Amino acid sequence: MSNETISRRTLIKGALVGLAAVPAAALANPQAAKPAAPAAPAAGGLLDPASPQAKALGYVHDANKVDPKANPMHKAGQFCHNCVQWTAAADAPQGPCNLFPGKVVKGGGWCKVWALKPGAKLG
Ligand code: SF4
């Protein structure tokens, strides 16, 4: 057996060991074998307060401009960002609302079905 043959045999063994190690590594960490997850679908555009759905619930982008006569139930400190239907981070400027799928609302917005999110505070 020549040195060249041994060298070729060693090379082939090393390659086989290397190929076997890749699936073993993937089994040890299944996330490593998966392609990157696609980004979450982006929410749609900003809800238009003039849209029929928004008007039906009295949605406004700025809760400080709620008409008190038309909405006597509105209290200071009620905003979309502290509403139970808000699904974004409390400090997000805008985010999804369960009542308006495919749209985002303003964190400072408000509508007639506002309800305090558990653990949130007014303001
Ligand atoms: S349900 Fe809550 S988060 Fe959605 S628009 Fe009305 S006040 Fe804002």
Side-chain angles (χ1 to χ4, degrees):
M1 195 180 300
S2 71
N3 279 348
E4 187 177 313
T5 305
I6 293 170
S7 177
R8 205 177 299 149
R9 183 177 296 161
T10 302
L11 182 66
I12 291 170
K13 277 184 181 177
L16 291 175
V17 169
L19 285 174
V22 170
L27 288 173
N29 181 6
Q31 295 301 321
K34 292 182 181 175
L46 185 63
L47 178 66
D48 180 357
S51 70
Q53 301 92 333
K55 282 181 113 175
L57 295 182
Y59 171 79
V60 291
H61 285 322
D62 185 351
N64 295 318
K65 295 181 179 170
V66 172
D67 178 358
K69 286 185 181 173
N71 302 288
M73 74 293 272
H74 175 258
K75 302 286 183 266
Q78 297 177 347
F79 296 99
C80 288
H81 69 76
N82 57 19
C83 173
V84 70
Q85 301 298 342
W86 174 259
T87 61
D91 60 350
Q94 59 187 37
C97 163
N98 289 326
L99 299 188
F100 299 104
K103 294 290 182 182
V104 293
V105 297
K106 293 278 190 180
W110 181 88
C111 85
K112 292 179 180 180
V113 298
W114 178 93
L116 185 62
K117 180 179 282 216
K121 294 178 183 171
L122 288 178

